[in-house]
Amino acid sequence: ASALELFPYLLSGVPLYIVPDDIRLDIGRLAEYYETNGITICFLPTQIGEQFVTAAAEPSSLRFLLVGGQKLNSYAKRKFALDNSYGPTENTVVATNCIVTHQTHNISIGKPISNVQVYIVDSHLNPQPIGVPGEICIGGESLALGYWNRPELTREKFIANPFRTGERMYLTGDLGRWLEDGSIEFLGRRDEQVKVRGYRIEPGEIEAALQSHPSVSSCVVVAKASRQGEKELVAYLVAEETLSAGELRAWLGRSLPGYMVPSHFVQMDALPLTPNGKLDRRALPDPEGLSLSSGNAYVAPRNSTEKSLVAIWQEVLGSDKIGINDNFFDLGGNSFKIIRMMEAINTTFGKNLAVVVGFKYPNITELAEFLLTEDQHQGAIVSDEEMETDINTLDETLQILNTE
């Protein structure tokens, strides 16, 4: 990247300013520095660039702001042009780019630049049609020779180009899909795919849907282990106003299946960054105690039945403060957890209730009322065979109930 950031300017006879360390991550001082020195073009890591565009005073001299290195989430209209670039080091260094002109749910990384070929393929290297995710692969004049003193890795990642005889192609490990205008939507890393409750999930798709919420300025979705050792999706987000888990679940439910809706939402003042200005995933906090509320005011249990149910929910959900009006799914519940909840309820209360009862009565007030009057609901008593409910059907039920 140094070649791109140094030589074009020096060869054009213009001064090159190297920003002092103590200013690089201070957005306000950085804008002042540009203004004082008459900076016309600059390159910033994506997360710093987002903050600069949305929060900083606008330097009158600045004509172009170039960003790259990670997915661009936020855009705000400015006098200067915002150039979004994508490209791994192995391609030396930009493969696609575009001038961003408006906010979208997932800002494009643009189209291939001159002398670069980009392919999106499936696991068998077959080209993917428009709209279908696949691995981004790159060929062309700027492709590196390989990895220094690592011939095995070079053979693995730099392969014969099946689309151009005698040329090579680099397997990036990044996921994307073609858009109808010929640009590319970036969907994250292939090695960041996670398997949660039997489903293979691309966090980038969830991030794109969450980013489309009008109040969310940036976000990241990761998989973390719960108290019970299960993988759960956690969404970390920065927003202009305080949001509730229920509101965000409803928003995501419009475009995503239930199994892709995160179990926890953590709202932060800013996502943690490395000293180089990139997202620091290892610094993301544990969601326990930080998850957004369900949006309901806390109401304590009022009788022994509600107290027993709260204790069961605390154990199943790994949460300490649960009110009787909280929604089971807004607190991180899912189809597997509702099975465990109903097993505990049947053991505690001596019942033989179907799992669907937990879906039908997703808060403690309704569930306790049902238990107290359960004799009037004979249809809910089922055989052991009927308790063997298919997990996929439960997830579909959850999605329908959330929508309703």
Side-chain angles (χ1 to χ4, degrees), residues 28-291:
R29 294 177 65 194
L30 187 62
E32 292 177 2
Y33 182 85
Y34 289 168
E35 183 70 44
T36 300
N37 294 286
I39 304 298
T40 57
I41 301 175
C42 71
F43 179 91
L44 293 175
T46 303
Q47 265 67 36
I48 298 298
E50 286 182 343
Q51 295 179 41
F52 189 90
V53 168
T54 57
E58 187 171 1
S60 60
S61 59
L62 193 62
R63 295 189 293 112
F64 281 94
L65 171 61
L66 288 69
V67 297
Q70 289 181 278
K71 187 176 71 171
L72 177 68
N73 292 312
S74 299
Y75 169 79
K77 187 172 180 58
R78 295 287 188 147
K79 292 180 181 177
F80 57 77
L82 178 62
D83 185 292
N84 186 32
S85 297
Y86 160 82
T89 302
E90 290 85 350
N91 186 58
T92 333
V93 61
V94 173
T96 69
N97 85 319
C98 65
I99 300 295
V100 182
T101 58
H102 59 282
Q103 178 73 53
T104 61
H105 78 285
N106 190 7
I107 296 174
S108 166
I109 58 174
K111 302 177 181 180
I113 66 171
S114 299
N115 299 320
V116 170
Q117 295 85 48
V118 175
Y119 313 95
I120 297 180
V121 301
D122 63 15
S123 58
H124 302 289
L125 300 182
N126 297 311
Q128 296 286 62
I130 293 173
V132 179
E135 182 173 3
I136 300 174
C137 301
I138 301 174
E141 297 298 324
S142 56
L143 211 60
L145 297 178
Y147 298 102
W148 181 253
N149 285 337
R150 301 189 69 182
E152 297 84 4
L153 185 61
T154 297
R155 285 192 294 269
E156 177 187 347
K157 297 295 185 181
F158 292 85
I159 66 171
N161 189 333
F163 310 106
R164 295 171 74 104
T165 304
E167 298 186 14
R168 296 175 307 134
M169 181 175 77
Y170 172 64
L171 308 177
T172 68
D174 291 333
L175 297 172
R177 58 186 166 202
W178 291 109
L179 301 177
E180 292 185 356
D181 66 356
S183 61
I184 297 170
E185 186 178 57
F186 181 79
L187 298 175
R189 289 284 302 167
R190 187 178 64 182
D191 52 18
E192 288 172 2
Q193 281 185 328
V194 294
K195 200 169 187 179
V196 177
R197 290 156 36 217
Y199 294 96
R200 188 167 296 281
I201 295 170
E202 295 170 1
E205 290 195 61
I206 306 173
E207 292 167 1
L210 188 57
Q211 188 70 41
S212 68
H213 189 287
S215 295
V216 175
S217 57
S218 60
C219 64
V220 61
V221 175
V222 300
K224 286 182 174 286
S226 67
R227 285 183 186 178
Q228 293 81 13
E230 300 171 346
K231 277 189 176 181
E232 296 182 323
L233 293 173
V234 183
Y236 298 87
L237 60 121
V238 178
E240 299 172 359
E241 58 182 333
T242 301
L243 302 172
S244 71
E247 178 184 354
L248 292 171
R249 288 186 63 86
W251 179 268
L252 293 178
R254 298 177 183 179
S255 58
L256 298 178
Y259 64 85
M260 289 183 70
V261 177
S263 297
H264 304 280
F265 297 88
V266 179
Q267 189 165 340
M268 309 177 70
D269 293 332
L271 297 177
L273 303 177
T274 67
N276 292 329
K278 293 189 176 184
L279 176 67
D280 188 352
R281 292 176 178 269
R282 290 180 293 183
L284 292 168
D286 191 288
E288 186 173 337
L290 297 176
S291 294

Side-chain angles (χ1 to χ4, degrees), residues 24 126 153 206 254 314 320 341 345 376 386 399:
R24 291 180 183 177
N126 297 311
L153 185 61
I206 306 173
R254 298 177 183 179
Q314 288 174 332
D320 295 327
M341 179 190 75
I345 288 175
Q376 302 173 22
E386 291 174 302
Q399 186 179 359

Side-chain angles (χ1 to χ4, degrees), residues 243-249 265 291-299 313 321-332 363:
L243 302 172
S244 71
E247 178 184 354
L248 292 171
R249 288 186 63 86
F265 297 88
S291 294
L292 290 174
S293 72
S294 63
N296 299 313
Y298 174 75
V299 178
W313 280 30
K321 190 175 182 179
I322 294 176
I324 61 174
N325 293 326
D326 286 335
N327 185 290
F328 184 81
F329 305 106
D330 289 346
L331 297 176
N363 67 55

